[in-house]
Amino acid sequence: MYPFSGLVFTGMPYFHSIDYIPWIGSTIAELLVVGIMLRRRLVRSFPIFFISIAFDLLREITLPAVGFHSALAYGYGYWLSAPIEYVIGFGVMVEAYRHSFGADPRVPAKTLWMLGFAGVALVGLAVFLVLHPDLPTTNLSGLVLTLNRSLELLSCGMLLFLWIFASRLGISWRHHVWGIVFGFGIYSTMGLSVATVHAITGTASGDWLARVTHFSYLAATIIWTVYLWKPEPERGPVTLKEISLASHLIERYRRMLAQLWRLFLNGATD
Amino acid sequence: MALPISILICGAVSVATLYLMVQHFIRCRRQEGLSLEELDRRSERLVRELKRLSGLQGEQRLAACRTIAEEMRWHSGFLLSIVNDWRYDNREKEDETTEPAIAVYREARELHRMVTRILFLMRFRPSLLKDCHRLREAARQFGRMWEAFSRFCQAQIPNELEGLEPPI
């Protein structure tokens, strides 16, 4: 999730003033996220997400310091930390799934089969893209770009399935979880698009497209800050108001349905 | 020049993900501030339009059908938001409410699909909507959706709703 992947193979000359915006902006936003999570005691609810933010902060502070001395060292440092980033990223998505499912999810067998099949298909596609690369993978840059694209596909695909199967799985969305997933979604979709183009052109940096990833990460950190800053409403067990609402809704439904049947049975709509 | 297959695969995945997320975000925004008063107002409008339908022809009839379909779609979103909020806030009842909640989601989704198709046909192929069999089917689905919601309510707060059987 670090904005300076562009420095990997081409060095510092491609770093411009505009690149300060996503770098400093996302660093500030991440500091705010860490502060909010500590203050609101959200670390216990989303520990893996907290680790991902802390990891990124550490990287965003450490790697530029390395980069200003040696672009090559920066490049190796970035790509060596990329697998850790992906593992943590997948961990955050699993955390979001678990948080949405609740303590003891009852997933219908049919849905589980569909999800499993979709997961296998997704992994198969990712492997296919590695085995049939658009660039030669005999050199390091081609291999890295090809692998990066497949990992981005897995990451984005997991989020896609989360949305497609949300209603079949009975997932209930609420404020903080939705905000985390939304931010990840924005970043993953942009990352996948950029990684796809780069894996075809062989460009790893220096183009305007690389900045799309940087700014999408900045957008994700702002989304996280906003959603985590707003507290979720505290609600306890079912209240009298909710019971009254349920009764009113069901009564309303009875009357409405009676009227509907009367109208259709009488042929009012012919 | 043929596009590489990787662009098609990855492009489709990223566009689909972005579309679903943005759609969910817009739906969440629309569902903020839902109230019983809004429900009453829209329910009355739905029934009023249905009553008027028999006496209308041509463009007026089409407009009434569009209103009915839109109101049904609103109801599906309303119920989904209620179920979503209740399930999230009452996790201790996860066991009892999962299947009823999934049933509500399924019925609401089916209703949404039906009325979206009706609205699509109204815009591009109104000739296919001369009889109202699609709207009638949507109304039946509307009833099934509310029935599923009643069952969910009973699973959520069975003691308080004891004796209030959902009508068939």
Side-chain angles (χ1 to χ4, degrees), chain A residues 167 170 173 260 268-270, chain B residues 50 54 61 84 87 109 136:
Chain A
S167 57
W173 293 111
L260 279 174
T269 56
D270 290 336
Chain B
L50 277 167
S54 59
R61 186 179 174 89
N84 186 65
R87 285 199 70 236
R109 202 173 58 241
R136 200 174 293 123

Side-chain angles (χ1 to χ4, degrees), chain B residues 45-84:
Chain B
R45 189 177 177 206
L46 173 65
V47 175
R48 188 173 61 241
E49 290 300 314
L50 277 167
K51 284 179 181 172
R52 286 181 59 223
L53 201 59
S54 59
L56 299 175
Q57 297 294 330
E59 286 298 318
Q60 285 182 331
R61 186 179 174 89
L62 210 59
C65 286
R66 184 177 296 115
T67 302
I68 291 163
E70 284 169 352
E71 294 301 336
M72 285 187 189
R73 191 168 59 180
W74 183 91
H75 276 86
S76 70
F78 176 78
L79 285 195
L80 281 175
S81 70
I82 295 280
V83 172
N84 186 65

Side-chain angles (χ1 to χ4, degrees), chain A residues 99 101-102 104 106 108 125 128-129 134 149 153 156-157 159-160 163-164 167-174 177-178 181-182 185-186 189-190 192-193 196 200 227 232 235-238 242-243 245-250 252-254 256-257 259-261 263-264 268-270, chain B residues 4-7 9-10 13-14 16-18 20-21 24-25 29 36 39-40 43-44 46-47 50-51 53-54 61 75 78 82 84-92 94-95 98 102 105 109 132 135-136 139-140 142-143 146-147 149-150 153 156-157 160-161 164-165 167:
Chain A
H99 208 272
F101 277 140
D104 183 23
R106 298 287 179 88
L125 273 176
F128 172 80
L129 290 178
D134 295 297
R149 179 180 60 185
L153 176 67
C156 197
L159 286 168
L160 177 63
W163 257 273
I164 289 175
S167 57
R168 288 189 178 89
L169 293 167
I171 286 178
S172 55
W173 293 111
R174 202 53 184 267
V177 178
W178 157 245
V181 174
F182 188 33
I186 297 285
T189 51
M190 293 298 122
L192 176 60
S193 305
T196 303
I200 293 170
Y227 273 89
E232 282 192 18
R235 293 175 70 171
V238 176
E242 285 166 340
I243 296 167
L245 170 68
S247 300
H248 179 97
L249 287 171
I250 293 172
R252 200 72 181 81
Y253 146 63
R254 286 167 172 260
M256 193 165 34
L257 205 58
Q259 285 174 309
L260 279 174
W261 287 158
L263 285 166
F264 277 109
T269 56
D270 290 336
Chain B
I5 194 168
S6 58
I7 283 196
I9 294 170
C10 297
V13 171
S14 55
T17 307
L18 198 60
L20 286 172
M21 275 193 322
H24 184 89
F25 178 75
R29 282 282 166 267
L36 278 178
L39 173 68
D40 283 345
S43 300
E44 281 168 14
L46 173 65
V47 175
L50 277 167
K51 284 179 181 172
L53 201 59
S54 59
R61 186 179 174 89
H75 276 86
F78 176 78
I82 295 280
N84 186 65
D85 284 351
W86 275 4
R87 285 199 70 236
Y88 196 91
D89 292 334
N90 296 282
R91 299 291 188 89
E92 67 275 7
E94 181 73 31
D95 288 354
T98 299
I102 291 175
Y105 290 148
R109 202 173 58 241
C132 285
L135 202 62
R136 200 174 293 123
R140 289 199 184 95
F142 184 77
W146 275 96
E147 192 179 328
F149 177 72
S150 299
C153 288
Q156 187 81 3
I157 40 178
E160 291 81 356
L161 290 179
L164 191 68
E165 290 292 328

Side-chain angles (χ1 to χ4, degrees), chain A residues 49 74 88 105 113 120 123 168-169 197 225 250 261:
Chain A
F49 177 68
Y74 167 87
I88 296 176
W113 274 107
V120 168
V123 171
R168 288 189 178 89
L169 293 167
V197 175
T225 306
I250 293 172
W261 287 158

Side-chain angles (χ1 to χ4, degrees), chain B residues 96-121:
Chain B
E96 298 97 28
T97 62
T98 299
E99 287 185 22
I102 291 175
V104 177
Y105 290 148
R106 185 175 56 240
E107 302 297 350
R109 202 173 58 241
E110 178 62 21
L111 176 65
H112 191 272
R113 187 191 65 78
M114 290 169 88
V115 294
T116 301
R117 183 173 165 77
I118 289 171
L119 291 167
F120 177 84
L121 288 173

Side-chain angles (χ1 to χ4, degrees), chain A residues 93 97 154-163 181 184-185 188, chain B residues 17:
Chain A
M93 277 186 262
Y97 271 105
L154 284 174
S155 175
C156 197
M158 273 183 73
L159 286 168
L160 177 63
F161 293 155
L162 188 64
W163 257 273
V181 174
F184 262 102
S188 287
Chain B
T17 307

